[in-house]
Amino acid sequence: MEHLKNWGHSLTRSKGWDLGTLNELPDYMKTFIIALFDTLSQFEEELKGEGNAYRVDYLRDAAKVYYQEFLWGHNRYVPKFQEHLHVSAVSCTYPMLYVLSFVGMGDIATKKAFDWAIKVPQIIWSASVIGRLTDDMQTDEREQENDYMPTNIKCYAIEHGLSEEEARLKIHEVLIEDEWKKMNEELLLRPDKGIPLALYMPAFNLTKGLSKKTVVTKKYISTSLSLFPLKAATSLLN
């Protein structure tokens, strides 16, 4: 556990990718940390010429949620569903992938846009929740075999006194569907003024990719998890 704590500190304390904290880590971790720092330093160097080196700073905080999950598993702690979701929806890397998609988007991805994304607005949060819960629906049984920590499905079942099959059904038919509705509303209304549509779309596109297929009917673009009005979708996606 102490090694994991030092690993998290190395990522979050090393301003400017200073490797001085490597001495606190065991040898088996140093190779990974050096490779990570080298990759991010290359990103930083390439963006420096455009005056956008600050973008790399937004990618350094993921270690905190992984450490929290480790503590839960180590202590055999079963969190409440929302407590679990607020950590696991970040550890699934969806918010980080969204911010990462901005890095190479040129002038449209301003510092204001990065500041907006890093605060995890509704469209990113809904995309992250859909991604996390969809993954849990597919991998819950395998992850439970590892006896590491309960998934969102297990936490929901325990909290609400349901069987795991009942919890799966509730999560699929209600919780995931509600997040799709919120995402669709965000795309249609775009409440965060000054943020271009192009910066909303990565969240929608990444989430849409979770579906195995997309079926177009007379009125709707239908995925396995959502109904998106065809007319609105056409105007947004063209």
Side-chain angles (χ1 to χ4, degrees):
M1 183 185 293
E2 193 62 32
H3 289 166
L4 184 62
K5 185 186 297 184
N6 289 338
W7 176 76
H9 288 170
S10 293
L11 293 179
T12 56
R13 290 206 317 251
S14 298
K15 188 66 176 175
W17 314 115
D18 178 12
L19 298 180
T21 54
L22 277 180
N23 292 332
E24 302 174 17
L25 301 174
D27 289 340
Y28 73 91
M29 283 189 175
K30 290 179 182 178
T31 301
F32 168 76
I33 294 293
I34 290 173
L36 175 64
F37 282 14
D38 283 349
T39 299
L40 292 172
S41 294
Q42 289 175 26
F43 285 163
E44 196 169 39
E45 191 62 32
E46 290 180 13
L47 292 168
K48 190 178 296 182
E50 305 171 8
N52 294 325
Y54 68 87
R55 296 180 179 184
V56 179
D57 289 336
Y58 291 92
L59 305 177
R60 295 197 296 178
D61 292 332
K64 296 177 183 178
V65 292
Y66 293 114
Y67 182 55
Q68 181 62 65
E69 288 186 338
F70 172 79
L71 289 179
W72 286 346
H74 180 79
N75 295 322
R76 294 293 188 267
Y77 173 69
V78 180
K80 296 291 188 180
F81 173 73
Q82 286 297 331
E83 183 184 9
H84 190 300
L85 189 60
H86 274 79
V87 170
S88 60
V90 177
S91 70
C92 72
T93 73
Y94 226 111
M96 184 179 70
L97 284 173
Y98 188 79
V99 174
L100 185 61
S101 73
F102 281 16
V103 171
M105 291 184 71
D107 293 341
I108 193 173
T110 62
K111 189 173 188 304
K112 177 182 177 181
F114 272 88
D115 289 339
W116 170 75
I118 205 67
K119 292 176 182 176
V120 192
Q122 183 63 57
I123 190 167
I124 300 179
W125 178 248
S126 291
S128 301
V129 169
I130 293 168
R132 175 72 275 168
L133 294 179
T134 301
D135 180 74
D136 280 356
M137 297 284 282
Q138 298 169 350
T139 63
D140 178 65
E141 291 183 7
R142 175 174 56 81
E143 291 184 6
Q144 293 304 324
E145 289 174 359
N146 294 332
D147 194 32
Y148 174 59
M149 66 168 289
T151 63
N152 283 290
I153 294 171
K154 185 77 170 180
C155 291
Y156 191 90
I158 292 174
E159 184 175 342
H160 295 278
L162 302 174
S163 68
E164 289 196 31
E165 285 305 312
E166 290 172 328
R168 284 171 176 273
L169 189 63
K170 182 78 170 181
I171 288 172
H172 177 69
E173 293 187 349
V174 178
L175 302 185
I176 292 177
E177 195 65 34
D178 282 349
E179 295 303 327
W180 266 113
K181 291 175 182 177
K182 292 175 185 177
M183 274 192 67
N184 292 342
E185 183 178 352
E186 289 286 303
L187 278 173
L188 290 168
L189 302 180
R190 283 190 284 160
D192 298 301
K193 304 304 179 184
I195 302 299
L197 175 60
L199 298 183
Y200 280 76
M201 293 311 297
F204 178 74
N205 290 333
L206 285 169
T207 309
K208 187 175 66 173
L210 293 171
S211 302
K212 293 182 179 179
K213 61 181 179 179
T214 300
V215 178
V216 181
T217 68
K218 291 182 179 179
K219 293 184 178 180
Y220 296 99
I221 289 178
S222 175
T223 71
S224 62
L225 299 177
S226 71
L227 287 176
F228 195 88
L230 180 57
K231 184 177 181 181
T234 301
S235 64
L236 284 170
L237 301 177
N238 285 344

